């Protein structure tokens, strides 16, 4: 789920995640530079973990599946950084 500051939550499908950010598909475009938060699920250590992080939109492009949005993580806390690192192993 993507929540842009000042707007309601938007359903998003995660495409890729890494230590610096992630990409997702959403139904409607979002302008680059907007900030908000993202909530997504990572599966590691045999179970699902919900992750929440502040993000900034780096780009948003039209695709056949919707709009692909690139999100840069902002000031990740240690728990989120650790969760992403465990997921990437």
């Amino acid at each position: 789920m993507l929540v842009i500051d000042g707007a309601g939550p938007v359903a998003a499908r995660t495409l890729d995640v890494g230590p610096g950010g992630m990409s997702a598909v959403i139904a409607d475009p979002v302008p680059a530079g907007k900030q908000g938060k993202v909530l997504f699920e990572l599966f590691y250590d045999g179970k699902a973990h919900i992750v929440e992080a502040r993000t900034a939109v780096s780009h948003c492009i039209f695709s056949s599946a919707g709009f692909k949005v690139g999100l840069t993580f902002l000031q990740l806390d240690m728990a989120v950084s650790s969760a992403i690192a465990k997921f990437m192993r």
Side-chain angles (χ1 to χ4, degrees):
M1 177 180 1
L2 175 63
V3 183
I4 297 298
D5 292 345
V10 175
R13 183 174 54 89
T14 303
L15 296 176
D16 192 18
V17 65
M22 63 183 293
S23 63
V25 174
I26 57 177
D28 297 310
V30 177
K34 289 285 189 176
Q35 292 187 3
K37 69 178 178 178
V38 65
L39 288 93
F40 59 100
E41 196 172 60
L42 292 177
F43 190 82
Y44 63 90
D45 291 340
K47 58 185 173 179
H49 301 267
I50 304 278
V51 175
E52 180 177 334
R54 292 284 303 160
T55 61
V57 177
S58 60
H59 64 275
C60 185
I61 59 172
F62 180 73
S63 74
S64 60
F67 289 87
K68 289 184 182 176
V69 61
L71 301 166
T72 302
F73 293 135
L74 303 174
Q75 302 170 331
L76 281 182
D77 63 33
M78 199 59 164
V80 174
S81 293
S82 177
I84 292 170
K86 287 178 184 178
F87 172 74
M88 292 180 64
R89 287 186 204 153

